[in-house]
């Protein structure tokens, strides 16, 4: 591994602004549009599609996912634009509109994808921010690409933001953008939301460019996190690595002369889901019938357990499979009475850690099924696919027990989707205490996924739970989610961003 102890490169980034007029920024500048509200994320909220695909319009359709669901309705009602990569490397696309949203594509090359995205974002930051479950790699070429790509996104915003516009930057791929925007356009109101965990200073300290990342985030007026502990970790890092003055939730950012230039606030804003969409699908007769069909296709087992994850080492899939295999070996569950459905949607398949994980998971599933399957029954139904939301809701309705065994997770919206879909207040949620959702869903069966014996006991408690207790727990969790949906998340963040900060220098 290659590392450097260089400082934050802030001066070099500032002087590079004029030199990094890349294709994406130049395209944005040429469009000339000025917007009062801009969302910035690594990806645009659209995917390529074929004309025969449902929802395809002019070769694009809206992407699934919580962020798009949260922000798209608001952006169609405002003078807003979305800045992001359109998904194809080495291709320049001019700004366009889709579904009532103005979109500003940023150009990324094949090298950018390799160095900025697969490299620094997903082989350096992702494992570092997830408690180094996998070892992060530190390469200067990756860092250089990360800075240059962040500059490209910032330039696109600068060219399209109206005077005094509000800009909301999303997630760990773009942590340098807030400071770049503040230096270029101090008139902007800048928010940032970190969708994944933020590590404690003791782990964050490993990053050679730790000062630059903290400095970049402190360019924002408001930095949002999933959990209060993440916001606390960030503020402790700001104090430790930049010597920043932190008072309550305010970080006083100082200029070169030592005077406070602005105040960056750090707060928790736990993201949620589109409750209305999930609830309506869960009540559709065709979705309910599909859930019944799933049970029939599995031989009508007494208990269906369900895991739904991206195939990622942070999700605890291996721990889940180990616990389930031991329950089968112990005779606590039998293949005649129970089936585990594991949906593992493809993820970052060009990254070596993910290829190895897929081989291990599929090998484990094969071993379990080879040992315990009968002609009539299967122990694990493994599905390496992504599914439309209608099929996912049918799976939620079919499953008696939902297993969320994440080793570290910013939130985990699957847990919230499962609870929302249980409109009859039945079912059981086994939830890792290391998922952000554990802060809100306190009536779930919380457990430590590293404790395999404890995980086994919790699974059995869920399998054998009395209907009255299951109903009481599910009703409480559903109320929490129904009262705190994704619309409230976005409106709470933007309302906090718009607040005037009372400066306390005492």
């Amino acid at each position: 591994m290659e590392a450097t102890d260089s400082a934050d490169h802030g001066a070099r980034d500032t002087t590079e602004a004029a030199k990094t007029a890349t294709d994406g920024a130049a395209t944005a500048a040429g469009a000339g549009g000025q917007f009062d509200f801009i969302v910035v994320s690594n990806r645009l909220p659209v995917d390529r599609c074929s004309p025969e695909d449902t929802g395809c319009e002019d070769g694009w359709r809206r992407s699934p996912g919580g962020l798009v669901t949260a922000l798209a309705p608001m952006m169609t009602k405002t003078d807003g634009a979305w800045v992001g990569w359109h998904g194809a490397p080495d291709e320049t696309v001019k700004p366009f509109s889709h579904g009532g949203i103005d979109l500003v594509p940023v150009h990324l090359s094949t090298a950018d994808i390799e160095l900025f995205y697969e490299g620094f974002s997903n082989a350096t930051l992702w494992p570092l921010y997830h408690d180094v479950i996998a070892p992060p790699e530190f390469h200067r070429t990756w860092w250089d690409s990360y800075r240059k790509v962040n500059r490209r996104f910032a330039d696109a915003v600068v060219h399209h933001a109206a005077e005094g516009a509000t800009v909301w930057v999303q997630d760990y791929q773009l942590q340098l953008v807030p400071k770049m925007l503040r230096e270029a356009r101090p008139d902007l109101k800048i928010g940032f939301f970190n969708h994944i965990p933020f590590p404690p200073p003791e782990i964050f300290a490993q990053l050679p460019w730790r000062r630059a990342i903290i400095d970049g985030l402190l360019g924002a007026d408001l930095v949002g996190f999933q959990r209060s502990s993440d916001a606390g970790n960030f503020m402790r890092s700001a104090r430790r690595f930049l010597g920043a003055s932190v008072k309550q939730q305010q970080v006083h950012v100082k200029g070169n002369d030592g005077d406070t230039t602005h105040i960056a606030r750090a707060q928790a804003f736990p993201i949620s889901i589109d409750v209305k969409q999930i609830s309506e699908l869960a009540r559709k007769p065709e979705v309910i019938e599909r859930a019944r069909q799933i049970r029939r296709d599995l031989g009508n087992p007494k208990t269906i357990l369900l895991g739904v994850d991206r195939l990622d080492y942070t999700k605890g899939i291996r721990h889940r499979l180990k616990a389930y295999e031991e329950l089968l070996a112990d005779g606590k569950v039998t293949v005649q009475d129970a089936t585990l459905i594991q949906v593992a949607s493809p993820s970052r398949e060009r990254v070596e850690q993910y290829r190895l994980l897929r081989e291990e998971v599929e090998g484990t599933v094969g071993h379990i099924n080879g040992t315990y399957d009968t002609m009539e029954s299967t122990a694990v139904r493994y599905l390496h696919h992504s599914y439309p939301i209608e099929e996912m809701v049918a799976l939620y309705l079919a499953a008696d027990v939902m297993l969320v065994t994440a080793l570290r997770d910013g939130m985990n919206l699957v847990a919230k989707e499962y609870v929302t879909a249980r409109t009859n207040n039945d079912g059981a949620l086994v939830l890792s205490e290391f998922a952000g959702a554990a802060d809100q869903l306190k009536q779930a069966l919380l457990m430590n996924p590293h404790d395999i014996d404890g995980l086994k006991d919790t699974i059995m408690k869920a399998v054998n739970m009395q209907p009255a207790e299951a109903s009481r727990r599910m009703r409480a969790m559903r109320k929490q989610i129904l009262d705190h949906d994704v619309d409230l998340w976005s409106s709470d963040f933007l309302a906090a961003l718009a607040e005037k900060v009372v400066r306390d220098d005492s």
Side-chain angles (χ1 to χ4, degrees):
M1 291 190 292
E2 183 181 23
T4 178
D5 58 358
S6 58
D8 60 8
H9 297 274
R12 191 195 311 176
D13 279 339
T14 303
T15 57
E16 274 186 356
K19 298 187 290 182
T20 55
T22 61
D23 291 347
T27 301
Q34 297 288 299
F35 300 95
D36 294 322
F37 178 60
I38 295 179
V39 169
V40 194
S41 65
N42 180 60
R43 283 294 302 270
L44 287 175
V46 292
D47 295 319
R48 296 269 195 200
C49 60
S50 301
E52 62 271 14
D53 293 340
T54 303
C56 192
E57 176 187 327
D58 298 326
W60 302 94
R61 67 178 170 193
R62 185 170 290 178
S63 306
L67 183 62
V68 179
T69 301
L71 300 181
M74 173 177 42
M75 297 193 72
T76 58
K77 300 173 188 173
T78 61
D79 179 23
W82 197 307
V83 173
W85 179 49
H86 62 281
D90 302 313
E91 179 184 68
T92 299
V93 176
K94 293 182 179 179
F96 64 101
S97 295
H98 182 274
I101 304 175
D102 288 292
L103 304 174
V104 180
V106 173
H107 175 274
L108 294 183
S109 67
T110 299
D112 293 330
I113 299 304
E114 179 184 348
L115 302 175
F116 151 75
Y117 182 71
E118 294 174 351
F120 197 80
S121 295
N122 290 318
T124 300
L125 294 177
W126 180 268
L128 184 76
Y129 282 32
H130 287 86
D131 292 351
V132 294
I133 295 167
E137 298 181 43
F138 306 113
H139 299 291
R140 286 173 288 184
T141 53
W142 292 1
W143 166 246
D144 289 341
S145 179
Y146 186 82
R147 287 190 301 110
K148 290 173 183 174
V149 171
N150 271 242
R151 172 64 66 190
R152 203 173 305 160
F153 276 81
D155 286 348
V157 174
V158 166
H159 284 101
H160 280 271
E163 182 73 20
T166 294
V167 180
W168 193 0
V169 185
Q170 307 289 332
D171 224 2
Y172 64 104
Q173 300 96 343
L174 302 175
Q175 292 175 104
L176 304 182
V177 169
K179 182 183 180 184
M180 293 174 176
L181 292 178
R182 181 165 293 277
E183 290 176 339
R185 291 285 303 275
D187 60 292
L188 300 176
K189 197 75 168 175
I190 304 165
F192 181 93
F193 190 81
N194 194 64
H195 291 262
I196 68 173
F198 196 89
E202 295 76 17
I203 289 178
F204 189 70
Q206 296 179 36
L207 185 66
W209 308 281
R210 59 201 187 189
R211 288 174 53 84
I213 294 293
I214 296 293
D215 202 29
L217 290 170
L218 288 176
D221 297 286
L222 178 63
V223 187
F225 299 91
Q226 301 282 22
R227 311 178 83 165
S228 296
S229 57
D230 295 323
N233 287 341
F234 170 72
M235 288 184 284
R236 288 197 294 138
S237 288
R239 182 188 291 117
R240 175 170 170 180
F241 301 119
L242 288 186
S245 173
V246 179
K247 299 178 181 179
Q248 295 182 331
Q249 295 178 314
Q250 298 183 353
V251 182
H252 293 240
V253 182
K254 292 180 170 54
N256 294 330
D257 57 3
D259 292 336
T260 298
T261 59
H262 73 285
I263 292 173
R265 289 168 291 151
Q267 294 176 226
F269 297 88
I271 196 170
S272 193
I273 62 170
D274 185 346
V275 168
K276 183 172 181 289
Q277 180 194 33
I278 301 295
S279 299
E280 288 179 351
L281 285 172
R283 291 186 172 94
K284 279 193 169 185
E286 57 268 36
V287 175
I288 295 171
E289 176 53 34
R290 174 60 184 147
R292 294 191 184 113
Q293 182 187 343
I294 290 170
R295 294 195 75 98
R296 289 194 298 268
D297 291 345
L298 292 171
N300 285 313
K302 180 181 175 182
T303 303
I304 294 178
L305 302 102
L306 175 64
V308 175
D309 313 88
R310 280 190 312 105
L311 190 55
D312 190 290
Y313 51 75
T314 65
K315 301 299 184 181
I317 299 173
R318 291 172 291 194
H319 298 64
R320 182 183 314 159
L321 291 172
K322 181 174 180 59
Y324 185 62
E325 181 179 11
E326 289 190 11
L327 288 173
L328 287 166
D330 296 342
K332 297 286 185 66
V333 297
T334 67
V335 74
Q336 289 80 17
D337 287 340
T339 297
L340 169 62
I341 302 174
Q342 177 60 59
V343 178
S345 50
S347 176
R348 301 171 188 157
E349 296 194 303
R350 289 175 44 173
V351 179
E352 180 66 15
Q353 287 277 1
Y354 290 80
R355 286 199 296 266
L356 295 174
L357 175 65
R358 179 178 178 182
E359 290 177 8
E360 183 178 351
V361 167
E362 293 182 353
T364 302
V365 169
H367 170 73
I368 295 172
N369 286 342
T371 303
Y372 296 101
D373 277 9
T374 66
M375 288 293 186
E376 297 79 20
S377 306
T378 189
V380 182
R381 183 64 59 90
Y382 175 76
L383 306 165
H384 186 57
H385 307 289
S386 296
Y387 290 97
I389 188 62
E390 294 81 3
E391 183 73 358
M392 294 311 307
V393 173
L395 282 167
Y396 296 148
L397 292 178
D400 304 288
V401 178
M402 184 82 215
L403 302 178
V404 177
T405 57
L407 307 181
R408 193 77 166 92
D409 214 337
M411 178 52 61
N412 196 287
L413 297 180
V414 164
K416 294 188 174 185
E417 289 178 350
Y418 176 77
V419 169
T420 303
R422 307 302 295 193
T423 54
N424 292 331
N425 293 315
D426 56 359
L429 172 63
V430 173
L431 178 61
S432 168
E433 63 193 48
F434 303 119
D439 285 359
Q440 290 92 51
L441 304 182
K442 298 183 184 297
Q443 292 300 316
L445 296 174
L446 300 177
M447 53 74 204
N448 173 2
H450 298 283
D451 176 6
I452 299 299
D453 287 334
L455 175 54
K456 289 162 59 179
D457 291 342
T458 308
I459 292 173
M460 291 313 302
K461 182 175 180 180
V463 169
N464 297 319
M465 188 181 294
Q466 293 300 308
E469 182 182 357
S471 178
R472 175 181 59 79
R473 289 175 178 269
M474 192 61 68
R475 188 177 289 109
M477 290 189 290
R478 293 194 78 250
K479 183 180 188 310
Q480 205 285 334
I481 297 173
L482 295 176
D483 291 345
H484 299 86
D485 66 0
V486 72
D487 291 334
L488 185 64
W489 168 75
S490 58
S491 61
D492 278 356
F493 183 94
L494 293 173
L497 179 59
E499 286 176 5
K500 186 169 182 178
V501 179
V502 178
R503 187 160 160 174
D504 179 14
D505 292 321
S506 59

